[in-house]
Amino acid sequence: MTLVIKICGLKTSEAVEAAAAAGADMVGLVVFPPSPRHVDLAHGRSLAALATGRLQVVALTVDADDALLDDIVAALDPDWLQLHGKETPERVAAVKARFGRPVMKALGIAAAADLARVPAYAAVADRILFDARPPKDATRPGGLGRAFDWDLLDDLDPGLGYMLSGGLDPANVAEALRITRAPAVDVSSGVERAPGDKDPQKIAEFVRAARAAAAAAPAVARPRA
């Protein structure tokens, strides 16, 4: 299976072009004002239009109500909706039913106990995104440049469709893939010059490193118990 690569938190046409040129599969547009990567819907519309046909567009929201999601879908026409807040499995199912689009649900991970929620969400979401659980004083649930212990994913159902996120960058994505054999990876702060300012060179380096690691996986991946 080909590795899926998502570059998240894009704010400029330069960043979209860089993701496309590097060979990424998805771009994430954040609609959440507390984030330094937030885009308003008018600007997001232009970025989504630039990506359409070349990259899948993911609209990232945090505990958004139906009215906001209506506006986001109308403006961005995203391929995916990413729910990155405290949405329950019931809310995930309701969003998927209302909008008829694949839904990706982010789950914060810090300890093995955090994985107990996976079956309930996996039953309703099209993909689970594992991110580092934010500290209690965090003002946003992701994009913090924090990694979690990838070994915690050892006992996942091998058939689970998930994406690995949290503190990934060009220097560590190969190790992350060696340990987890993740079918998809997501990067945001790891390819930035500053929060919200994507670096085209780092995007290219990340995609190149991830693709090389995925190609080498059968030979170098750690045996699983």
Side-chain angles (χ1 to χ4, degrees), residues 2-10 15-29 47-48 50-60 78-82 101-105 126-129 161-164 183-188 191 198 203 206-207 211:
T2 302
L3 178 72
V4 174
I5 299 176
K6 173 171 167 271
I7 313 296
C8 197
L10 282 67
V16 173
E17 292 291 356
D25 303 289
M26 295 177 161
V27 289
L29 302 180
L47 296 178
L50 185 60
T52 298
R54 299 189 291 168
L55 299 149
Q56 293 187 60
V57 175
V58 181
L60 186 157
D79 299 288
W80 287 75
L81 292 171
Q82 179 174 330
R101 314 214 173 198
V103 174
M104 187 183 308
K105 178 66 182 90
D126 296 278
R127 179 172 286 155
I128 302 296
L129 184 144
Y162 77 93
M163 180 170 277
L164 181 66
V185 291
D186 171 76
V187 65
S188 184
V191 292
K198 292 294 187 283
I203 289 174
F206 182 87
V207 174
R211 296 279 183 227

Side-chain angles (χ1 to χ4, degrees), residues 58-139:
V58 181
L60 186 157
T61 67
V62 178
D63 298 314
D65 60 20
D66 285 348
L68 177 55
L69 288 173
D70 282 338
D71 291 342
I72 289 170
V73 169
L76 308 185
D77 190 21
D79 299 288
W80 287 75
L81 292 171
Q82 179 174 330
L83 307 182
H84 215 104
K86 298 179 180 179
E87 300 90 357
T88 64
E90 292 75 19
R91 176 60 177 158
V92 173
V95 169
K96 182 174 178 179
R98 179 182 176 91
F99 296 99
R101 314 214 173 198
V103 174
M104 187 183 308
K105 178 66 182 90
L107 297 178
I109 304 298
D114 293 321
L115 295 169
R117 302 171 292 163
V118 171
Y121 282 103
V124 291
D126 296 278
R127 179 172 286 155
I128 302 296
L129 184 144
F130 293 118
D131 199 355
R133 191 172 70 195
K136 291 183 178 180
D137 60 350
T139 58

Side-chain angles (χ1 to χ4, degrees), residues 125-218:
D126 296 278
R127 179 172 286 155
I128 302 296
L129 184 144
F130 293 118
D131 199 355
R133 191 172 70 195
K136 291 183 178 180
D137 60 350
T139 58
R140 58 188 193 275
L144 301 173
R146 298 165 60 96
F148 63 92
D149 181 359
W150 300 318
D151 285 317
L152 291 172
L153 304 184
D154 272 355
D155 296 326
L156 283 180
D157 178 344
L160 177 69
Y162 77 93
M163 180 170 277
L164 181 66
S165 186
L168 297 178
D169 59 38
N172 68 13
V173 67
E175 179 69 0
L177 286 168
R178 184 190 71 79
I179 291 172
T180 66
R181 301 187 189 181
V185 291
D186 171 76
V187 65
S188 184
S189 61
V191 292
E192 291 181 337
R193 293 175 283 230
D197 181 14
K198 292 294 187 283
D199 184 329
Q201 181 176 341
K202 288 183 179 179
I203 289 174
E205 290 172 354
F206 182 87
V207 174
R208 185 163 55 247
R211 296 279 183 227

